[in-house]
Amino acid sequence: MHFITNKRVLFLQIFITLITAVSSGQEKNLKNIQKLTFGGDNAEAYFSPNSSLLTLQINNPKMGMSCDQIYMLDLQNTPYSTDKLKQISSGKGRTTCSYFMPDGKHIIYASTFAANEACPPAPKPRDGKYLWAVYPEFEIYMADLDGKIVKQLTNSPGYDAEAVVSPDGKKIAFTSTRSGDLELWTMDIDGTNLKQVTNGLGYDGGSFFSHDSKKLVFRSSRPKTAAEIADYKALLNDNVVAPTEMEIYTCNVDGTDIKQITHLGKANWAPFFHPSDKKIIFSSNHHSTRGYDFQLYMIDIDGTNLKQITWESEFNAFPMFSPDGKKLVWSSNRQQTAARETNVFIADWVDLDETENAKPESLKKHISYLASDELKGRLTGSEGEQKAADYITKQFKSLGLKPYDGKNYIQKFDYTIRLNPHDTTNASSVANTGRNVIAYLDNKAAKTIVIGAHYDHLGLNEHNNSTKVNSKGEIHNGADDNASGVSGVIELARMFSKNKTTEKVNYIFALFSGEEDGLIGSKHMAETLKEKYPNVEAMINMDMIGRLNDKKELLIGGVGTAADFKNIVEKNKPAGFNITQEESGIGPTDHTSFYLKDISVLNFFTGTHTDYHKPSDDEDKINYTGVTNIVNYVFRVANDIADLETVAFIKTKNNAGKTRPKYKVTMGIMPDYTEHPDGLHVDGVTDNRPAQLAGIKEGDVITKIGTSEIKEVYSYMEALAKITPGEELEVVFIRDGETKTVKVKFE
C-alpha cells in the first residue's frame, strides 16, 4: 500500500510540476515555472553563490514545524518534494531572514532562541491594522549547512535581523533598533566595524545589495504627519509596525545618495536588484482597490518604466535573482491546496524587449500637443484638424510605416453636417471635408488587425455638440476625448514597428476624423477596407482612455464579437482593474463602423465625466498611469489575438440605433457607460438643462423615463429617441437609497 500511495504522490507532484512549467500568458518574463514547496507558509527563499542551493523560511505544522524555521533545498535534487527539504535551524524560538555566506557552506539568519526557546506569539491586528512583529530577542547567527551554529554576529538589546551579504563577500547589511529606530546598518563579514546607514524616522528594512556591491535597495515607511509619527512610535514601542505604507529607496552602502524610487502609495516592499543593476523588482499592492493583492513589478532605478511581472494569484513577494541572473525565485499563493498556503516557485528569467513597454513621456507629449490651444479643438474640416493630421502623419513617417493606400497617409471624405439638430428641413446643413490618417505595418502575414481612435473633437463648438451652455467660441481641447486614444494608437504603432518581433499579423493604425459628427470618418474607411485589405479580422478601438478613476473601472465593448475575446480580455487585464465586459459590437464610437462590416471588434473606454464635451476636458486632468497601463493592456490583447489561428466574426444581439443617440431631445446629463445592476448612473449634470432644472444631481441613478425602464446607457438612448422637444415626462431615480420622482421638460 505504501508503494502505491507513494507512486500516487509522485505522480501528483510531477503533474503539478508539468502544469506550473507553463507560465500564465501574461507572465512573459517567467518561463518554466516550477513549484518547489508543497504546503504551509514558505517564504524568503535565497540562492547560494553558485545558484545550486536555496535557503528558505518555513512554517508548516504538517512537517512538525509550527514556528518559522530555516531550511535548505538542493535545486539539483529533483523531483521536488517536502522530504527533500533539509532543516538548518534548531527548531527553537522563531527564525527569519536566512542568507548564504560567500563560501556557500554557511548560512546567516536571525533567531529568538537564546532569549526563549518557545515560539513568540505573532501580533494580533489593532484597530483593523495588520501588524509585523519586531521581536527584540532577534540576534543574527552563522551556521554551517548541518545546522551547527559557528558564530553569533550580533549581541545587542533590541531587534537585529534581515541580514544579507554583499556579492563581493565583504559586507553584511541588516536592520536594527540599536539606535532607537529601525535603521539599516552594515558590518564587515566577520561581524566587526558596525556602521549606521540610514537615519530617517521610519522602518528601513528588507535591504539587498546591488550586484556590484556598491548600493543598497530597501523598503521604508517614512511617517510625515504628527499623527503618523505618533502612531509609528507608539507601535514601535510595543515592538510592532504597520507595514501598509512603504516605498522603495536606494542609497550607497555608506548611506549617501539616498533616493526614493517609487511614489506609488500603499505597500511597496521586498525589493531586489535586476542583474543589470539598472532595474529593481519588488512586490506591491499599489494597484489594488481592495488592499490585499500583491504582484511583482519591475521599475528602472530612476523611478520610470513601471511594469507588472506577475499576474497569477493575489500574493507574490520575496523575489530574488540567482547570482548568474538566469533564474528568479519568489513566494506565491498560486496553486493553493489549502487556505493561507504560500509556496516557493522558481522560473527561468527572460528579459523582454524594452521597446514593447508604453512610455508615459511619449503619451504625454502626444496628448499635450493634440489638446493644446494651438489646435483649437481639432474640429473636423478646420485648420486645427489639419495640424493634428500633419502631426500624426509625421509620427507615422518617423516610424517607417507605409501609407494606407500606398501613396498617402491622408484619406479624405466629404459629408454634410446639420448645425441645428432640431432642424428637420436641412436648412442648416453645410458641406464639410474631413481627413482620416492611416498607416500600415506590413509583416507579410496572412491576416491584419486595425487599431484605431478618432482624433477630431468639438473645436469652438461650431457644430453644437458641447454639453456646456453658451460655449460657442470656447476651445474644446478634448484631451480625454480623444487625444488620449490617439496617443495610444501612436504609441502602439511605435511598439509594434520598433520591437524585435515580427508579429503573425499586419497592423493598420487608423486615426479617424468626423467621429463627433456621427462616426463619419470610420464609416468611410470601413466601407472600402475589405476591398483593400480582405484579410482584416479584428479592429481594436480606443475612445476616451485618459480618465481612469480610483476604482480603476474600464469598459471593454465587443467581447462577444469573437469566441476568444472574453478570455483574452480577462487574462490580460492589469492588476487591480475592474473590467466591465460589454458583448455588443455596437457602441457610440468608431468600432461600430467595423462591426457593421462583419469585423470582430473591441473598444476600450474609461467612462464619461463632468468635463465630457466641455472646454474643461484638458490635459492636466489626464491619468497617465492609467493611460500607460491601458496601452500596455491593448498591446497584450493585440498579441493574443494575433496568435489565434483565426478570428471568426460573431454577430451580437444589439440595436443598430445604439451607434449614436438618434434622438431630438436632451436631458443634459453625462451618463456612466459602465454597467450597473440598478439603473443608469449619472456622472454629471449640465447647468440650466432639463435634468438640473428638475433637481437631478450627479450620483443619482435613473430607473425610469415615462413608461420606459432604464437599465443602462442604451435603454436611456432608446427612451430619448421616443421623446419630442417640449414633452414633459416623469423621471424616476434613486438617491441615497430613496426613490424619487420628478417631472422633466425635455428640450
Side-chain angles (χ1 to χ4, degrees):
M1 284 295 294
H2 283 294
F3 176 70
I4 296 174
T5 301
N6 288 339
K7 277 179 67 179
R8 286 175 177 168
V9 170
L10 181 60
F11 173 78
L12 178 61
Q13 290 174 351
I14 292 173
F15 178 68
I16 291 172
T17 300
L18 288 172
I19 292 175
T20 57
V22 181
S23 69
S24 170
Q26 312 92 298
E27 296 181 337
K28 297 185 184 300
N29 291 100
L30 308 175
K31 186 179 179 182
N32 299 324
I33 296 176
Q34 292 180 285
K35 192 174 183 180
L36 301 181
T37 61
F38 303 89
D41 190 3
N42 307 267
E44 299 197 52
Y46 304 122
F47 285 97
S48 62
N50 66 0
S51 304
S52 66
L53 303 173
L54 284 180
T55 176
L56 62 160
Q57 178 180 304
I58 295 177
N59 181 341
N60 189 349
K62 290 184 179 179
M63 294 170 59
M65 195 59 61
S66 58
C67 194
D68 293 335
Q69 296 295 319
I70 304 304
Y71 285 76
M72 186 179 70
L73 177 66
D74 184 350
L75 293 172
Q76 315 304 313
N77 191 1
T78 57
Y80 303 118
S81 62
T82 300
D83 59 9
K84 302 287 181 65
L85 294 163
K86 178 181 179 181
Q87 187 174 335
I88 301 296
S89 58
S90 65
K92 300 174 182 178
R94 187 185 295 275
T95 62
T96 190
C97 306
S98 56
Y99 211 86
F100 274 96
M101 293 294 276
D103 62 4
K105 299 178 180 179
H106 294 84
I107 291 171
I108 56 173
Y109 61 88
S111 179
T112 63
F113 81 91
N116 192 333
E117 293 187 357
C119 183
K124 295 180 180 179
R126 297 185 193 176
D127 301 323
K129 291 181 179 178
Y130 172 66
L131 300 176
W132 279 352
V134 185
Y135 299 112
E137 299 85 4
F138 268 134
E139 299 293 350
I140 300 171
Y141 300 88
M142 180 168 60
D144 63 23
L145 300 189
D146 291 322
K148 179 182 177 181
I149 292 177
V150 298
K151 189 172 186 177
Q152 182 172 342
L153 292 171
T154 62
N155 187 11
S156 172
Y159 180 83
D160 289 304
E162 305 174 33
V164 294
V165 180
S166 62
D168 64 10
K170 296 179 180 179
K171 293 282 184 181
I172 295 173
F174 64 104
T175 298
S176 177
T177 56
R178 62 184 64 211
S179 67
D181 190 22
L182 283 157
E183 306 286 6
L184 295 183
W185 289 70
T186 61
M187 56 184 166
D188 289 349
I189 200 70
D190 60 0
T192 63
N193 193 26
L194 277 86
K195 292 184 178 180
Q196 186 173 341
V197 177
T198 59
N199 295 279
L201 181 69
Y203 185 2
D204 297 336
S207 69
F208 289 95
F209 287 91
S210 58
H211 292 77
D212 62 9
S213 301
K214 294 179 180 180
K215 286 187 172 291
L216 288 169
V217 62
F218 59 99
R219 46 121 181 103
S220 178
S221 65
R222 293 290 174 93
K224 294 179 175 60
T225 68
E228 289 172 346
I229 291 170
D231 188 43
Y232 170 75
K233 288 183 175 179
L235 289 173
L236 186 58
N237 188 59
D238 292 337
N239 300 311
V240 292
V241 291
T244 53
E245 298 289 335
M246 300 184 290
E247 300 289 353
I248 306 300
Y249 288 74
T250 61
C251 67
N252 293 331
V253 172
D254 63 3
T256 60
D257 195 29
I258 187 167
K259 293 179 180 178
Q260 184 175 343
I261 306 303
T262 63
H263 297 80
L264 299 172
K266 297 189 180 179
N268 305 277
W269 59 298
F272 198 88
F273 278 104
H274 178 268
S276 68
D277 283 341
K278 295 180 180 179
K279 299 175 182 294
I280 296 163
I281 192 170
F282 64 100
S283 180
S284 176
N285 72 338
H286 76 275
H287 56 269
S288 177
T289 54
R290 294 171 297 162
Y292 188 83
D293 180 8
F294 287 92
Q295 302 297 335
L296 297 184
Y297 286 83
M298 187 87 81
I299 194 168
D300 289 357
I301 57 173
D302 64 359
T304 63
N305 293 326
L306 181 70
K307 181 185 177 184
Q308 187 176 339
I309 302 299
T310 60
W311 305 75
E312 288 290 307
S313 82
E314 291 193 332
F315 182 80
N316 295 272
F318 305 112
M320 181 193 185
F321 287 100
S322 59
D324 60 14
K326 295 180 179 180
K327 302 280 187 181
L328 183 80
V329 67
W330 79 103
S331 299
S332 177
N333 62 11
R334 62 186 67 200
Q335 299 173 31
Q336 288 179 324
T337 58
R340 303 181 66 83
E341 179 180 292
T342 304
N343 286 294
V344 174
F345 293 80
I346 192 171
D348 297 334
W349 177 260
V350 180
D351 277 314
L352 301 180
D353 185 352
E354 291 298 320
T355 307
E356 297 183 345
N357 295 327
K359 296 180 178 180
E361 63 271 22
S362 296
L363 295 165
K364 183 175 177 63
K365 181 187 79 170
H366 301 320
I367 294 174
S368 296
Y369 177 72
L370 292 168
S372 66
D373 285 353
E374 179 187 341
L375 272 62
K376 295 184 178 180
R378 310 184 306 277
L379 183 76
T380 304
S382 70
E383 182 182 349
E385 182 218 37
Q386 178 67 67
K387 288 183 177 180
D390 290 344
Y391 178 84
I392 296 165
T393 297
K394 182 179 178 182
Q395 303 304 314
F396 285 163
K397 282 183 177 179
S398 71
L399 296 173
L401 298 172
K402 296 180 178 180
Y404 171 69
D405 63 3
K407 297 178 182 179
N408 201 317
Y409 296 96
I410 303 297
Q411 182 188 56
K412 289 187 178 182
F413 55 91
D414 299 320
Y415 69 107
T416 300
I417 175 70
R418 182 187 297 168
L419 299 182
N420 181 357
H422 303 301
D423 176 20
T424 58
T425 67
N426 292 326
S428 65
S429 296
V430 297
N432 201 21
T433 298
R435 306 166 182 84
N436 293 330
V437 190
I438 315 173
Y440 180 61
L441 175 60
D442 188 0
N443 285 324
K444 310 298 182 186
K447 54 188 176 182
T448 298
I449 294 175
V450 177
I451 298 179
H454 77 89
Y455 74 93
D456 66 305
H457 195 53
L458 309 188
L460 307 181
N461 195 28
E462 295 95 328
H463 294 177
N464 300 304
N465 288 320
S466 178
T467 59
K468 182 184 177 184
V469 178
N470 300 322
S471 61
K472 184 117 11 175
E474 295 185 51
I475 299 175
H476 292 62
N477 283 320
D480 184 27
D481 186 15
N482 183 36
S484 63
V486 178
S487 72
V489 173
I490 296 172
E491 185 64 356
L492 286 163
R494 180 195 64 80
M495 294 160 72
F496 280 117
S497 63
K498 295 301 180 183
N499 64 357
K500 299 173 184 176
T501 303
T502 300
E503 287 78 23
K504 298 176 182 177
V505 297
N506 312 308
Y507 284 101
I508 294 172
F509 302 101
L511 282 310
F512 314 111
S513 193
E515 192 270 354
E516 301 291 4
D517 291 333
L519 317 187
I520 310 298
S522 59
K523 180 181 178 182
H524 179 78
M525 177 187 174
E527 284 175 347
T528 59
L529 176 62
K530 286 192 174 181
E531 294 175 15
K532 295 176 180 289
Y533 297 91
N535 60 359
V536 170
E537 291 193 342
M539 189 273 176
I540 301 174
N541 192 59
M542 291 174 285
D543 192 352
M544 297 175 63
I545 61 169
R547 300 285 283 270
L548 189 72
N549 62 23
D550 292 342
K551 296 179 181 178
K552 297 182 172 63
E553 293 174 325
L554 178 68
L555 188 146
I556 303 178
V559 297
T561 62
D564 298 286
F565 279 3
K566 290 181 184 178
N567 178 56
I568 288 174
V569 162
E570 180 62 28
K571 78 172 186 176
N572 283 292
K573 73 176 182 179
F577 270 49
N578 293 302
I579 306 295
T580 296
Q581 294 193 23
E582 168 64 54
E583 291 212 6
S584 174
I586 294 288
T589 188
D590 293 302
H591 66 289
T592 300
S593 299
F594 297 87
Y595 169 79
L596 295 175
K597 296 299 180 182
D598 295 344
I599 295 172
S600 299
V601 296
L602 289 173
N603 181 61
F604 290 74
F605 173 56
T606 55
T608 54
H609 40 75
T610 55
D611 301 305
Y612 173 69
H613 276 201
K614 287 182 179 177
S616 52
D617 181 9
D618 286 324
E619 183 272 332
D620 60 350
K621 297 174 182 175
I622 295 295
N623 177 348
Y624 281 103
T625 299
V627 177
T628 304
N629 280 332
I630 292 168
V631 173
N632 282 326
Y633 186 10
V634 174
F635 182 81
R636 293 190 300 273
V637 166
N639 271 317
D640 276 8
I641 294 174
D643 288 339
L644 296 175
E645 199 162 311
T646 185
V647 181
F649 173 75
I650 298 175
K651 193 172 185 61
T652 57
K653 293 180 180 179
N654 47 53
N655 183 335
K658 294 176 183 176
T659 307
R660 271 272 160 189
K662 295 181 179 178
Y663 42 77
K664 299 177 182 179
V665 300
T666 179
M667 278 186 71
I669 68 167
M670 275 68 75
D672 179 354
Y673 281 81
T674 308
E675 284 191 12
H676 298 278
D678 51 351
L680 175 74
H681 286 227
V682 179
D683 263 0
V685 180
T686 305
D687 291 341
N688 298 315
R689 301 304 284 273
Q692 192 264 339
L693 294 173
I696 295 173
K697 299 179 180 179
E698 178 183 347
D700 289 345
V701 181
I702 297 173
T703 59
K704 196 172 185 180
I705 298 177
T707 59
S708 300
E709 299 290 337
I710 307 301
K711 298 179 180 179
E712 25 53 12
V713 68
Y714 296 127
S715 53
Y716 166 69
M717 291 176 179
E718 290 167 359
L720 292 190
K722 303 172 185 176
I723 303 171
T724 57
E727 189 173 354
E728 190 173 42
L729 295 173
E730 286 189 343
V731 174
V732 181
F733 62 91
I734 300 170
R735 180 184 295 165
D736 299 327
E738 182 181 351
T739 299
K740 296 177 178 290
T741 302
V742 295
K743 283 194 173 181
V744 175
K745 187 174 183 179
F746 292 85
E747 62 180 41

